[in-house]
Amino acid sequence: MTRIDAKFAELKAAGKKAFVSYVMAGDPDYERSLELVKGLPAAGVDIIELGLPFTDPMADGPTIQLAGQRALDGGMTLEKTLQLAAEFRKDDNTTPIVLMGYYNPIYSRGVDKFLLDAKAAGIDGLIVVDLPPEEDDELCIPAQKAGLNFIRLATPTTDDKRLPTVLQNTSGFVYYVSVTGITGSAEAQAGDVGPEVARIKASTDLPVIVGFGINTPEKAQNIASISDGAVVGSAIVSQMASGKPVSQVLGFVKSLADGAHRG
């Protein structure tokens, strides 16, 4: 059982929905990024999505693109991202970390070396947005063999014909993208999302977590009420970009987590 599996079992036993937060590793710099990540569990975050900065983030909107650029400009690398995770693990051995990004930096490092290093750093799962199920032999299958969950995205355009392929080697949870488009581009609507979550859950026992377009405690609550939990990314990244102290950003995160947990 991975930390992700254990966390969902714990939440289910408590009758609670999950709150997942996305933050960009190294934004605006390594020290503040680490401070933020270290503070997330106490702010109510159940699972941390750690963004891996990349030069061509095609699925991300301007907010996360700029965060990645700031991180890269500050010298952030895959190596330092794993170092940040390992630093977090010194004080927290239970909160799951999902590394979210693109395949190129992983490919450049070499899959076997990356998986070994990721496991050693305390990474629990991967979301690699530009590797479709047809490429599962490339990273997904090796990752699962190494004990890492491989989490897949389902979207409003994932029809009934495509869904079984998407779910085939997915583990940990299914990440449902609530809007068509890039991150931060539109608002999630519970009325639209509910039937889609139900459709996915009819085909899998995995938790279904909903992200994209959630930026207030009320929206987090609404989305969590019709799913297994909510993900917030751009709204948190925006708070960091505004230059607010990390303590203030964590206060905002707590309000979102409280909303999701009421769902």
Side-chain angles (χ1 to χ4, degrees):
M1 183 183 273
T2 65
R3 287 189 190 95
I4 295 171
D5 300 329
K7 176 57 71 175
F8 278 112
E10 176 195 318
L11 288 165
K12 189 175 182 181
K16 280 173 73 175
K17 301 300 180 73
F19 180 65
V20 182
S21 69
Y22 171 96
V23 296
M24 178 64 73
D27 175 44
D29 54 55
Y30 183 92
E31 288 74 22
R32 275 180 286 180
S33 175
L34 178 59
E35 184 187 351
L36 176 66
V37 173
K38 281 186 170 184
L40 292 174
V45 172
D46 298 301
I47 297 173
I48 298 167
E49 275 181 20
L50 191 59
L52 177 60
F54 182 52
T55 51
D56 187 22
M58 59 189 179
D60 295 313
T63 300
I64 290 176
Q65 280 192 24
L66 288 168
Q69 196 55 57
R70 286 191 297 271
L72 291 169
D73 289 346
M76 203 60 181
T77 60
L78 172 55
E79 181 72 38
K80 287 185 178 178
T81 300
L82 294 177
Q83 183 185 321
L84 189 148
E87 199 66 34
F88 171 84
R89 278 282 168 248
K90 289 179 182 177
D91 302 315
D92 187 316
N93 198 38
T94 55
T95 305
I97 299 177
V98 175
L99 194 64
M100 184 172 187
Y102 299 82
Y103 185 47
N104 188 279
I106 296 169
Y107 176 79
S108 298
R109 192 180 189 85
V111 167
D112 291 344
K113 177 168 171 48
F114 165 75
L115 291 174
L116 205 64
D117 294 345
K119 189 76 178 165
I123 300 296
D124 303 291
L126 303 173
I127 300 175
V128 183
V129 297
D130 55 346
L131 270 185
E134 287 74 15
E135 306 293 335
D136 273 358
D137 288 339
E138 191 81 19
L139 179 63
C140 173
I141 305 296
Q144 307 242 29
K145 284 179 180 170
L148 295 170
N149 290 124
F150 200 88
I151 295 136
R152 194 87 67 190
L153 303 179
T155 74
T157 59
T158 307
D159 59 20
D160 289 338
K161 186 179 176 185
R162 179 67 174 168
L163 186 60
T165 307
V166 168
L167 295 174
Q168 189 173 6
N169 290 313
T170 300
S171 66
F173 62 93
V174 179
Y175 186 138
Y176 180 69
V177 176
S178 65
V179 297
T180 306
I182 52 176
T183 57
S185 61
E187 292 189 1
Q189 303 295 332
D192 297 331
V193 173
E196 289 298 293
V197 170
R199 181 171 69 90
I200 296 166
K201 287 182 77 67
S203 298
T204 181
D205 292 331
L206 292 171
V208 180
I209 305 298
V210 178
F212 285 46
I214 304 166
N215 50 22
T216 67
E218 294 72 30
K219 284 177 192 154
Q221 181 177 355
N222 290 342
I223 291 299
S225 72
I226 49 87
S227 66
D228 294 302
V231 186
V232 178
S234 294
I236 297 169
V237 171
S238 292
Q239 294 268 317
M240 287 298 280
S242 70
K244 289 181 181 175
V246 170
S247 58
Q248 250 181 273
V249 178
L250 288 169
F252 174 64
V253 172
K254 186 178 186 310
S255 73
L256 295 165
D258 289 347
H261 290 148
R262 286 193 298 269

